[in-house]
Amino acid sequence: MLAIARYLVAEGFTVLGNSPETKVPGHKWKDLQSRQPTDDELQDWFENHDWKPGIITGQLSGIVVFDCDDANAVEWAKQNLPETPLRIVSGSGKGMHFYYRYPPGEVITNARSAWVLPPRTELAADIRGEGGQVLAPGALHKSGNRYRLDEGSLPLCRATIEQLPYWPTK
């Protein structure tokens, strides 16, 4: 996990450490929404604790993630959102993260277990923008599976982010 975290930081993403049982950070992370973690912090999180790496979303990392928790939400995203070449299959195997470039303006995290989009469709999905985070590829899910790149997905790197469509703001 330390190697994954170091790679992500080298690529310009802001990384945090999540507890092994949940998707909740194992440390205070408010200040990480404005800075990169130090290598000493990464070593502590991933060598001294059994934590899994997460990526802080929003302007600092340059990404917005549409986080789908089930097959219905994944299908909705494929049909209604701009196609994106960066998709991460969740550790549950049922959901997917669709990565977009952070647009001009602000995208606030909308983290709910279900929300309604036109035409009044309830989805098990979240928007992860400012103030949000997602588990990184390689992170272990409670099911025992790892978050991984979807088949045909581009790698998670800064060059890929520059190729992504902007998150649709309208």
Side-chain angles (χ1 to χ4, degrees):
M1 295 298 100
L2 178 58
I4 291 170
R6 282 180 169 156
Y7 166 80
L8 292 169
V9 168
E11 286 291 333
F13 298 101
T14 304
V15 174
L16 71 163
N18 288 286
S19 82
E21 297 83 27
T22 67
K23 299 176 186 177
V24 177
H27 54 88
K28 293 182 180 181
W29 61 290
K30 181 83 172 157
D31 70 322
L32 288 173
Q33 293 180 36
S34 61
R35 69 169 180 89
Q36 293 285 356
T38 66
D39 196 63
D40 287 343
E41 288 172 317
L42 295 178
Q43 286 181 346
D44 179 45
W45 301 340
F46 302 110
E47 287 183 346
N48 298 335
H49 299 89
D50 188 23
W51 289 352
K52 49 193 170 188
I55 301 170
I56 295 178
T57 57
Q59 193 168 19
L60 185 62
S61 288
I63 56 173
V64 174
V65 176
F66 192 71
D67 178 2
C68 300
D69 293 330
D70 63 20
N72 181 48
V74 169
E75 190 58 34
W76 184 94
K78 287 179 177 179
Q79 291 179 13
N80 292 282
L81 294 177
E83 186 175 331
T84 178
L86 179 52
R87 300 166 313 280
I88 307 297
V89 177
S90 70
S92 71
K94 299 175 186 173
M96 188 173 288
H97 295 168
F98 292 83
Y99 279 65
Y100 294 90
R101 193 163 16 151
Y102 196 87
E106 186 174 43
V107 179
I108 302 294
T109 291
N110 177 353
R112 302 184 217 177
S113 59
W115 51 286
V116 178
L117 290 174
R120 308 205 40 82
T121 304
E122 187 173 297
L123 294 177
D126 308 315
I127 298 170
R128 303 294 176 150
E130 290 299 327
Q133 62 110 358
V134 292
L135 290 178
L140 190 63
H141 186 267
K142 63 184 177 184
S143 67
N145 298 319
R146 296 200 181 273
Y147 285 71
R148 61 178 172 74
L149 291 174
D150 187 28
E151 187 175 328
S153 178
L154 292 177
L156 181 55
C157 66
R158 186 56 49 200
T160 298
I161 299 304
E162 296 302 318
Q163 299 173 44
L164 297 180
Y166 283 108
W167 172 252
T169 55
K170 294 183 181 185

